[in-house]
Amino acid sequence: MTALNDQATGRLTDEEIFLAHEGGKLGVSVRTSLADSRALSIAYTPGVARVSSAIARDAALARDYTWTGRLVAVVSDGTAVLGLGDIGPRAALPVMEGKAALFKAFGGLDSIPIVLDTTDVDEIVETLVRLRPSFGAVNLEDVSSPRCFELEARLIEALDCPVMHDDQHGTAIVVLAALRGAATVLSRDPGSLRVVVSGAGAAGVACARILVAAGIADVTVLDSRGIVHAGRGDLNPIKAALAEETNPAGRTGGLDEALTGADVFIGVSSAQVPETSLKLMAPDGIVFALSNPDPEVHPEIAARHAAVVATGRSDFPNQINNVLAFPGVFAGALNAGARRITERMKLAAAEAIASVAAEELSIDRIVPSALDPRVAPAVADAVARAAE
């Protein structure tokens, strides 16, 4: 197996990557003492019977006396994994383990990866309904579009606990926070910006909707066939609904027509953007090229035509990373005992992320670092307050 890069360059090598994954990235730790026979009697038999009996009388006590009150199920069918696509549940598991590790490191939440060997929405819903007593929330991950929309909606209705598809809403929350940061740096009113979203999959739809919900009225969305507008006869139900919610000017055509005079470009698809198209944007524009590993346009090229540039990568300034959102969102929802993650909670999360960076904003810092320890507690607090 060829190394990705030589160790001497400071970049990653296959050797260190596979070594770090050997045996998996997760384990189980014990939170209570088992040091002597009395401790064993408390943690297991006979003491545990008293706790189980109490929960049998009042099921709500499970939240306090089991780990479900802080346990997230990270669920995937492996159909849309990172930049790898449909690689199946087993190949998706290292990613889900990584997601679970992020929950613990940044949100203080335990989580269990669950990869399912089915892509049938009915089967996935039935499986999670039957598993519901074992967890407190569901983080859907790497489920292909458009099934992800139906699956999330069905699970929200079927389960009495928080459910969120992070590829949709985690991305949207951080994009909104970043756009607020960029607008502040440029002394612009976010509501006055004309925004173009390239991509009408999971992330694109969620980004467009949260921007509209946040008061940004002029949002235009592109899919692989051009601008999403109500006059198109080839739209699936999700895109048809999106056409009613966006593009107030009734624009038609392709990328160039959408970008002419636009203030903001948000790329959440793999479609490459020519430099000639960026030249059509309004002066002092904002470009978020978020595809990984290859942005829609290289940041150095984007910087020739935009005042603020962000990507999804850690090796360029202004990384828009979902880890800024999902640990705090789930922690806040679980802390509040919320049954749903609402639009109000998502908007509160975006505001909290933006507020952490508020005193340190610059062209190269429109959101906090993904490693900033202040973010998850701030988001959790804001989400819990919004839930109440």
Side-chain angles (χ1 to χ4, degrees):
M1 193 170 289
T2 304
L4 294 176
N5 285 288
D6 187 81
Q7 182 69 37
T9 67
R11 298 195 177 187
L12 305 177
T13 66
D14 277 1
E15 181 180 6
E16 64 181 322
I17 290 171
F18 280 87
L19 183 61
H21 286 76
E22 190 171 328
K25 297 187 288 294
L26 302 177
V28 174
S29 63
V30 179
R31 300 179 75 238
T32 191
S33 172
L34 297 175
D36 52 39
S37 60
R38 182 177 182 83
L40 187 60
S41 296
I42 291 172
Y44 198 51
T45 186
V48 72
R50 299 188 191 180
V51 179
S52 292
S53 297
I55 294 172
R57 292 189 298 270
D58 181 1
L61 292 176
R63 182 174 181 271
D64 297 320
Y65 296 107
T66 71
W67 70 343
T68 55
R70 54 183 173 81
L71 184 68
V72 180
V74 180
V75 179
S76 180
D77 61 4
T79 55
V81 179
L82 295 175
L84 304 175
D86 186 354
I87 60 175
R90 289 173 181 80
L93 188 53
V95 181
M96 302 311 119
E97 288 185 2
K99 192 80 171 193
L102 295 177
F103 266 114
K104 188 66 172 180
F106 294 100
L109 297 174
D110 290 313
S111 55
I112 294 180
I114 300 175
V115 291
L116 300 175
D117 197 7
T118 177
T119 60
D120 184 272
V121 171
D122 290 336
E123 292 181 356
I124 295 173
V125 171
E126 181 182 4
T127 299
L128 294 179
V129 167
R130 294 182 185 280
L131 288 172
R132 169 64 182 93
S134 298
F135 52 74
V138 174
N139 178 97
L140 287 176
E141 192 76 16
D142 294 347
V143 178
S144 62
S145 178
R147 287 183 313 111
C148 60
F149 300 110
E150 179 188 358
L151 178 58
E152 183 188 49
R154 293 270 303 277
L155 286 172
I156 288 172
E157 290 302 313
L159 299 175
D160 60 342
C161 68
V163 175
M164 189 175 84
H165 182 204
D166 185 51
D167 298 319
Q168 291 183 58
H169 308 295
T171 302
I173 289 166
V174 184
V175 162
L176 176 57
L179 188 57
R180 284 179 171 166
T184 300
V185 166
L186 298 177
S187 300
R188 301 285 300 274
D189 172 16
S192 70
L193 298 173
R194 186 159 85 74
V195 180
V196 173
V197 178
S198 176
V205 170
C207 286
R209 286 178 170 162
I210 201 171
L211 294 177
V212 172
I216 299 172
D218 197 341
V219 178
T220 302
V221 181
L222 291 151
D223 65 6
S224 60
R225 297 185 179 182
I227 294 173
V228 174
H229 61 86
R232 282 178 49 181
D234 60 344
L235 301 179
N236 62 35
I238 297 296
K239 292 181 183 180
L242 190 64
E244 298 296 330
E245 301 166 21
T246 60
N247 192 18
R251 296 180 182 86
T252 61
L255 179 64
D256 284 357
E257 287 76 14
L259 281 181
T260 299
D263 301 297
V264 181
F265 170 81
I266 298 172
V268 281
S269 74
S270 59
Q272 294 296 294
V273 177
E275 185 174 2
T276 53
S277 298
L278 292 182
K279 292 180 180 179
L280 301 173
M281 294 179 64
D284 295 325
I286 299 167
V287 171
F288 294 170
L290 304 183
S291 288
N292 267 317
D294 299 315
E296 288 82 357
V297 58
H298 194 280
E300 292 180 2
I301 295 175
R304 299 172 189 166
H305 309 284
V308 177
V309 178
T311 71
R313 290 172 44 157
S314 60
D315 52 347
F316 294 109
N318 293 327
Q319 184 190 22
I320 295 180
N321 191 324
N322 287 19
V323 77
L324 290 168
F326 69 82
V329 170
F330 277 97
L334 287 170
N335 291 343
R339 294 167 63 94
R340 299 284 186 271
I341 294 174
T342 64
E343 197 69 25
R344 181 180 177 184
M345 293 157 74
K346 297 169 197 170
L347 292 171
E351 182 64 33
I353 295 168
S355 69
V356 171
E359 296 181 1
E360 304 161 342
L361 285 174
S362 69
I363 291 294
D364 290 335
R365 184 180 170 81
I366 58 172
V367 288
S369 163
L371 300 175
D372 192 322
R374 300 173 296 170
V375 175
V379 172
D381 181 63
V383 167
R385 284 187 280 108
E388 294 168 0

